[in-house]
Amino acid sequence: MSLSRMGVVGAGQMGRGIAQVLATAGLDVVLVDVDVAAAQRGLETLARALEGQVRKGKLDPDARDHIVARVCVGPDLASFGGVDMVIEAASENAALKQELFGRLDRICPPHAILASNTSSLSITALSAHTQRPDKVIGMHFMNPVPVMKLVEVIRGLPTSDDTYAAVAELAGVLGKTIVTSRDIPGFVVNRILMPLVNEACFALYEGIATAEDIDKGCVLGLNHPLGPLALMDLIGLDTTLAILEVLHRELGEDKYRPCPLLRQYVAAGWYGRKVGRGFFTYAG
Ligand code: NAD
């Protein structure tokens, strides 16, 4: 495979997970966040996750050291001058990502592929902010990245067959299975998931049951591994709301209208696991 030097933008839960799977597959990674301290924390969290695998006997300490050594934190996007591909995993905000893609296009070598891990936003619109629209693509990992097998690959209108083939091959190298989606808001997985989790939020809002019972109903009654409220806490309530707003605005259907309770939790800063409080509370 010709991709060996990778850039990752955003060192939150997705960016650091993506950096981990890339480095585990033997690729060199530069991790950049607008908040350099967050990027450093991301690298430390990644190292802790690998340490957990060592303790369980799933990874030997030498391999862990090699993986960690393949990831470095860059001070800013200028660190991407020599990469073959960037995977952008910054916050779910259209204006922010469009501006990022314009800057990445000016900094990265002409051959580099620019991929976004966006959950809902238009890949075609991102590509229009670059001079290389054929090399822009969606590569939507699932959370937690090292655990979940699926990657959605989203072709924007101008995405070339070569770019698609390179990203499909990369997904295989990472041990992932792909599904391919047209560039329609929410793609496949979130198009289906978001109405479900939003409905769980409405059930709580309308006092139908407690948060515990809503989740228990879905775990025991629908055989879901995680209840929808706990899943929103994992995704991040801020990210969930941002995705629902895109679906509601772009597709214009009431079924995507974000629940007022979700808006209220986000307004309170109760974003879920990443801040220790969402529908449930989390120690540490
Ligand atoms: P997060 O809030 O955990 O992390 C986002 C990171 O982006 C933060 O560290 C923030 O400092 C950084 N950031 C913000 N603006 C930036 C900029 N201009 N340049 C560089 N870094 C910047 O969010 P997350 O859950 O990791 O989500 C990131 C992306 O992945 C979003 O597009 C989201 O929709 C998508 N995604 C999320 C999930 C999920 O379950 N959370 C799953 C699949 C895809």
Side-chain angles (χ1 to χ4, degrees):
M1 191 179 57
S2 54
L3 303 172
S4 64
R5 294 162 305 168
M6 307 291 294
V8 175
V9 188
Q13 53 181 338
M14 296 306 290
R16 65 175 177 257
I18 293 166
Q20 181 179 329
V21 297
L22 292 171
T24 302
L27 305 174
D28 293 323
V29 184
V30 183
L31 181 61
V32 170
D33 198 288
V34 70
D35 174 355
V36 181
Q40 201 54 49
R41 278 197 306 278
L43 182 54
E44 287 158 13
T45 308
L46 184 163
R48 269 202 305 280
L50 293 171
E51 185 55 37
Q53 289 187 32
V54 170
R55 273 201 305 276
K56 288 180 195 154
K58 293 181 176 171
L59 187 70
D60 74 65
D62 278 356
R64 182 260 331 266
D65 292 346
H66 283 116
I67 295 168
V68 173
R70 280 187 208 111
V71 184
C72 71
V73 166
D76 53 38
L77 298 184
S79 316
F80 293 151
V83 299
D84 300 313
M85 176 171 173
V86 172
I87 304 177
E88 171 277 314
S91 313
E92 188 75 348
N93 175 303
L96 181 155
K97 287 187 192 283
Q98 288 169 6
E99 196 262 340
L100 265 175
F101 268 67
R103 286 169 60 203
L104 289 170
D105 184 45
R106 291 190 289 279
I107 289 165
C108 297
H111 74 276
I113 292 173
L114 305 182
S116 177
N117 185 51
T118 179
S119 301
S120 59
L121 295 163
S122 166
I123 300 302
T124 305
L126 291 179
S127 75
H129 285 75
T130 75
Q131 301 300 315
R132 64 182 92 193
D134 57 312
K135 294 191 175 64
V136 175
I137 193 161
M139 193 172 189
H140 181 218
F141 291 82
M142 305 293 128
N143 185 12
V145 181
V147 175
M148 299 293 282
K149 287 285 166 223
L150 184 72
V151 170
E152 273 184 298
V153 179
I154 302 103
R155 297 187 68 146
L157 279 186
T159 306
S160 70
D161 290 345
D162 284 351
T163 300
Y164 174 79
V167 167
E169 187 186 345
L170 172 64
V173 169
L174 303 180
K176 305 296 187 192
T177 299
I178 64 166
V179 295
T180 304
S181 173
R182 284 174 56 210
D183 184 22
I184 302 295
F187 321 125
V188 175
V189 172
N190 280 322
R191 173 91 179 233
I192 296 165
L193 174 64
M194 286 298 134
L196 176 101
V197 295
N198 196 37
E199 196 59 36
C201 197
F202 272 109
L204 184 65
Y205 177 58
E206 292 171 16
I208 292 172
T210 62
E212 288 76 11
D213 276 0
I214 290 167
D215 270 18
K216 203 187 290 176
C218 292
V219 170
L220 299 181
L222 303 176
N223 221 10
H224 289 187
L226 201 61
L229 300 173
L231 180 56
M232 276 189 273
D233 279 355
L234 175 68
I235 294 169
L237 301 194
D238 52 340
T239 302
T240 306
L241 177 60
I243 299 168
L244 278 164
E245 281 176 335
V246 171
L247 287 166
H248 191 220
R249 184 177 67 237
E250 299 292 326
L251 300 173
E253 303 239 29
D254 273 356
K255 63 183 173 184
Y256 302 117
R257 180 171 66 90
C259 176
L261 187 64
L262 177 61
R263 289 192 185 284
Q264 193 178 32
Y265 275 46
V266 171
W270 296 356
Y271 295 159
R273 272 175 190 259
K274 61 187 166 188
V275 297
R277 177 164 200 173
F279 292 109
F280 303 101
T281 51
Y282 302 88

